[in-house]
Amino acid sequence: MEERMTLRPHHGLCIRHFTGKGYSPGFVENMARVITQLHDTPEQEICLRMREDILCGNCPHNEPGGCTSGQKVRRYDAAVLALCGLEDGAVLTWGEFERLVEERILSAGLLETVCRGCQWLALCQSIYSPKSNFADN
Ligand code: SF4
């Protein structure tokens, strides 16, 4: 298995809604690569941190002084952690985190509560459908 992966908590939602759209070809390519890795290895260990992660490197909002979206994305991160009952620095598998995001945020209809103010919100709301396979596990 790959070494532990750092993920911003709200990226658990972004990954769930990714359809190949993004800020730039480089961003989309990196996002698709990371998502493929996570889907192929749900036992991948992740560390949830409210700071730059594996997806931020190719983002145009990622500047030397930090994320230009600033407090907004920290608010998304904090909401995801609180709703999932986790803390900054939590270590778990991708599969565990994906299940928490699904059950406590998406199935509960709380996407807009977490992501209000994101430019992609309407798109993400339009493509969400519950993951039926979680009910079988
Ligand atoms: S609305 Fe924005 S922050 Fe929320 S999942 Fe979609 S892209 Fe990510």
Side-chain angles (χ1 to χ4, degrees):
M1 192 186 347
E2 300 275 336
E3 63 186 42
R4 185 180 295 167
M5 180 189 291
T6 297
L7 265 191
R8 291 202 75 128
H10 84 272
H11 283 164
L13 288 169
C14 303
I15 287 170
R16 180 71 172 79
H17 294 87
F18 181 69
T19 58
K21 293 186 168 57
Y23 300 111
S24 67
F27 178 87
V28 168
E29 190 178 322
N30 180 56
M31 184 113 177
R33 183 182 58 76
V34 171
I35 290 173
T36 297
Q37 180 183 337
L38 291 172
H39 283 175
D40 288 350
T41 52
E43 69 277 18
Q44 166 72 49
E45 200 170 66
I46 59 170
C47 180
L48 297 172
R49 296 302 312 272
M50 293 173 60
R51 61 169 171 77
E52 182 178 339
D53 71 2
I54 191 168
L55 297 177
C56 295
N58 296 53
C59 179
H61 296 297
N62 183 23
E63 296 192 352
C67 178
T68 57
S69 296
Q71 287 306 310
K72 187 169 71 173
V73 291
R74 288 184 66 81
R75 178 166 51 79
Y76 302 160
D77 286 335
V80 169
L81 288 174
L83 288 166
C84 291
L86 299 168
E87 295 186 348
D88 191 19
V91 174
L92 66 172
T93 68
W94 164 251
E96 291 167 338
F97 183 51
E98 187 181 35
R99 177 189 286 268
L100 284 171
V101 165
E102 181 71 28
E103 292 178 351
R104 305 220 183 153
I105 300 175
L106 296 175
S107 295
L110 295 175
L111 180 69
E112 185 175 1
T113 301
V114 175
C115 303
R116 192 170 292 127
C118 177
Q119 69 182 92
W120 303 100
L121 178 58
L123 174 66
C124 291
Q125 286 175 312
S126 74
I127 63 177
Y128 173 69
S129 63
K131 272 206 163 182
S132 58
N133 59 319
F134 284 118
D136 303 330
N137 295 333

